[in-house]
Amino acid sequence: RASEASRAAATDAAAAEQQHEIERLRAAEADAVRNAGIAIASAKAQNASMQTELDQMKSQLDAQKEAERDALVQADALKGQVEELQAAHLSEEQRAAAAEATALERQGEIERLRSAE
């Protein structure tokens, strides 16, 4: 009987130890699942933050490209205006030169007429 009682006690102790180990493993598993959930949520939040940064950078780049296009259009328009002004200035100079030539021709004619008198 003492031997049976001793075996029963040893069996109960082993069963209690196994039950304790099972509970410890279940708690460790729950911790691992919880930690994995936290890590996943953190990674998702970080990914969302990085995506937001990328979207902002893309938006800034698009705005910069648009500004560069606008600047090129303005530069082209200014170049056209400068060319028009240069052409107008040349034609004014040409008109002035033609008027001066005409005046010199008339002066020459006047002088010939005077000398012919």
Side-chain angles (χ1 to χ4, degrees):
R1 279 190 187 170
S3 165
E4 273 184 41
S6 174
R7 276 189 294 226
T11 302
D12 287 348
E17 191 175 317
Q18 285 179 343
Q19 185 62 36
H20 177 69
E21 183 64 15
I22 289 169
E23 288 171 5
R24 189 187 67 72
L25 290 172
R26 284 184 180 157
E29 179 185 25
D31 284 347
V33 168
R34 184 172 39 258
N35 289 340
I38 290 169
I40 289 169
S42 176
K44 284 182 178 179
Q46 187 176 10
N47 186 39
S49 175
M50 290 173 72
Q51 186 62 49
T52 300
E53 278 186 55
L54 284 174
D55 291 346
Q56 288 172 346
M57 290 171 75
K58 183 182 181 302
S59 180
Q60 288 174 349
L61 185 59
D62 289 345
Q64 184 178 355
K65 285 181 181 177
E66 186 66 28
E68 288 173 2
R69 277 193 293 270
D70 290 348
L72 286 174
V73 167
Q74 288 177 351
D76 195 42
L78 288 174
K79 181 181 174 189
Q81 289 176 351
V82 166
E83 289 171 353
E84 287 175 17
L85 288 172
Q86 286 174 338
H89 182 66
L90 283 177
S91 61
E92 281 180 29
E93 285 181 354
Q94 290 168 347
R95 280 194 297 271
E100 187 177 336
T102 303
L104 288 174
E105 285 176 22
R106 287 184 183 158
Q107 183 67 33
E109 287 175 20
I110 291 171
E111 289 176 6
R112 271 183 288 199
L113 289 174
R114 283 188 184 153
S115 60
E117 290 177 352

